[in-house]
Amino acid sequence: MAARATRLTPRGLGLLGGGVGLLVLGVLAGVTALVQVGALLLLTVGVSTALLVLTARHHARGGLTLTRRILPHPVEEGSAATVEVELLATRSGRTAPRVDRLTIAERASRELSDGGPLRARVRRSRERLRLDYPITPVRRGRWPVGPVQLSREDLFGVAHWSGPVGEPALVAVRPAISRLALSSSALASDVDRAALGARSPAADDTSLRDYRSGDDLRRVHWRSSARRGQLVVRQDERSGRRPATVVLDLPQHGPTGEWSIRVAASVAVGLAEAGHHVRLLGGDVLGVVPDHHRAGTGTAAAESLLDQTVDLSMPHSPGQRLSWLATAVDTLHADGGGAELVFAVVGELEPGVLASLARTGEVTHGWAMVRTSETGEAVASPDAQRTAERLRRAGWTVCLVRPGEDVATCWQRLLTADDRVVVAR
C-alpha cells in the first residue's frame, strides 16, 4: 500500500521561492513592502499546507467511511459486474468535512478487464462521494481491487495530498459453465435409473455404507453388520435422487486445466440442479464432503460447488498432480460405498492411479471424459487411449474429449457412448 504524502505543487514551490526571495531582498534593501509581500506568500504556503495536512489526518483517523460493493458477487468469468465505492464524510460535531473536492481513483487487477482501461463514473455531493466502474473478469480466481486512492489540493493550489483509504478487496471469479441436459435416456438403464431421479424397481430402495460417528444407531443394519464384522448403516434414497461425485484430474497445462474445471463444474452444477447431492473431488482444494454432510440440492448447492472451484490451482509437477488425484480417488472409495453416481474428468493416468479409479466401476456405474492430451492436441495419445480402454473394461461409460471443445458437445458424446470408447472428432 502506498504511503500518504503531502507535497507542494509547482505553484506552491514557485510561491515559496518567490516569498523567500522577496523577503531576503526586502530585508537587504530595507523595503518594508517587499518584506510584507514575501511574508504573505510564505504565510499562504504554510497555512494552506497545514490545513491540508490536518484534513488528511482527519481522513486517516476515521473521518471517512468507505463502503465497497461488487454486484453481482461472486461473478462468472466473461460476465459483467459493477464495483461501487462510496465515501461518506463522518461528522465531527455539527459539521462534516467536505469530500466533493477530493479526487478519487481505484486500481483493479488486469484479470478483471483483460488489461483494458476501466471507465469510471464519479458522483459528488458535499458529504458523499461515489465511484462506479464496470468489470468483466476474464480468468477464474480471486483478483484484487483497491485500495481507494484519494488526492486533494488546497484552495489556492499550493499543496497536494494523496494516499490510500480503506483496504483492498478480492473479487471472486467463478468458472464459466454450460447448462447441460441431464434427461437423456442414455442414463436410464435399470442399473442407474436413479441418475434421472427415477425410483429403483427394487422393493428395498436403500443402500449400505460404513457407520460414521454421529450416525443414528436406529439406522444400523444389524444383519449386514454381523456378516461383515463391522457396523454399516442404511442410506435411504427414497426421498430423492442418488448422490453423485465428480472427480477432477487437473493437468499442469493451464488452459487445459481451466477447461477441465469448466467441464467438471458444469457437470456438478447440472447434477445439483437436477436434485442430486453432489460433491467435487480433486485439486488442491479437495472439498471433502462426507456422504452424510453433503450439500443440499438445487441452486444453493450449485452456488457452493462453484465457490469451491474459485481457489483451485494447477499442479506444479506430475507427482503433485497424481498425488491430488490419488487423494480424491481414495476419498471416493472411503465415502462412496457404491451408492453414488461417479463422473470423472481425467487425462492420461499412470497405471496405479488408473487401476484404483477403475475399481469404482465394480460397485457403481461411472462416466468418464478422458482428455486426448494435456496440451489441447486433437490426436489422442496412446496413453489417453489406454486410460479410456482400461476404464471401459472396468464398466465405465467413456468418451475421449479434446481440451477446448464445447462442453455441451462433450457431454452429449458421453451420454451417447455405449460399450465403445467414443473418440473426439
Side-chain angles (χ1 to χ4, degrees), residues 48-345:
S48 297
T49 304
L51 290 176
L52 189 61
V53 169
L54 290 175
T55 302
R57 286 183 177 177
H58 178 74
H59 293 337
R61 293 174 179 175
L64 294 175
T65 300
L66 184 144
T67 304
R68 182 187 287 107
R69 293 179 293 271
I70 304 165
L71 303 171
H73 191 255
V75 60
E76 184 177 295
E77 60 179 342
S79 299
T82 301
V83 180
E84 300 177 352
V85 179
E86 185 176 72
L87 280 174
L88 182 65
T90 303
R91 289 184 174 272
S92 177
R94 295 183 178 180
T95 61
R98 298 184 63 170
V99 297
D100 54 343
R101 295 174 182 170
L102 288 171
T103 299
I104 185 172
E106 181 166 74
R107 289 188 175 185
S109 174
R110 63 181 295 110
E111 285 81 3
L112 297 175
S113 64
D114 199 17
L118 293 173
R119 301 185 180 277
R121 180 178 62 173
V122 179
R123 286 174 282 180
R124 303 173 183 272
S125 65
R126 181 183 178 90
E127 298 180 5
R128 190 184 304 269
L129 187 62
R130 181 167 175 173
L131 172 73
D132 300 339
Y133 61 94
I135 57 173
T136 305
V138 294
R139 285 186 60 192
R140 175 194 57 85
R142 297 186 190 273
W143 309 110
V145 292
V148 169
Q149 295 289 332
L150 297 180
S151 61
R152 182 173 185 169
E153 289 188 356
D154 69 289
L155 184 61
F156 299 104
V158 300
H160 178 272
W161 170 84
S162 63
V165 174
E167 298 295 329
L170 293 176
V171 180
V173 181
R174 294 168 169 172
I177 63 170
S178 300
R179 298 298 174 182
L180 304 179
L182 302 182
S183 58
S184 170
S185 60
L187 299 181
S189 65
D190 288 341
V191 175
D192 50 77
R193 286 175 54 111
L196 302 178
R199 297 282 183 85
S200 170
D204 183 16
D205 190 22
T206 63
S207 59
L208 300 177
R209 61 168 173 80
D210 293 340
Y211 173 85
R212 302 185 188 92
S213 178
D215 284 337
D216 190 342
L217 290 177
R218 290 173 297 181
R219 299 183 64 83
V220 174
H221 195 279
W222 296 107
R223 181 179 301 175
S224 297
S225 297
R227 185 172 63 253
R228 298 186 183 188
Q230 62 182 18
L231 289 179
V232 292
V233 296
R234 295 185 301 274
Q235 181 170 274
D236 198 345
E237 301 297 340
R238 291 187 181 94
S239 60
R241 307 183 179 188
R242 289 171 64 186
T245 293
V246 179
V247 178
L248 174 60
D249 166 36
L250 286 173
Q252 288 180 258
H253 186 247
T256 300
E258 293 297 333
W259 178 83
S260 300
I261 291 173
R262 295 186 195 106
V263 174
S266 298
V267 173
V269 167
L271 290 168
E273 292 180 342
H276 298 275
H277 293 262
V278 187
R279 62 177 176 178
L280 177 63
L281 300 179
D284 53 337
V285 184
L286 186 58
V288 177
V289 183
D291 288 340
H292 58 303
H293 289 159
R294 285 177 186 268
T297 61
T299 302
E303 296 284 319
S304 178
L305 288 164
L306 287 173
D307 287 340
Q308 181 184 331
T309 65
V310 170
D311 297 313
L312 287 171
S313 62
M314 303 307 150
H316 299 297
S317 65
Q320 187 176 55
R321 172 205 165 198
L322 292 177
S323 174
W324 288 350
L325 181 58
T327 301
V329 174
D330 289 345
T331 303
L332 175 64
H333 288 166
D335 298 332
E340 60 187 328
L341 307 169
V342 179
F343 296 82
V345 181

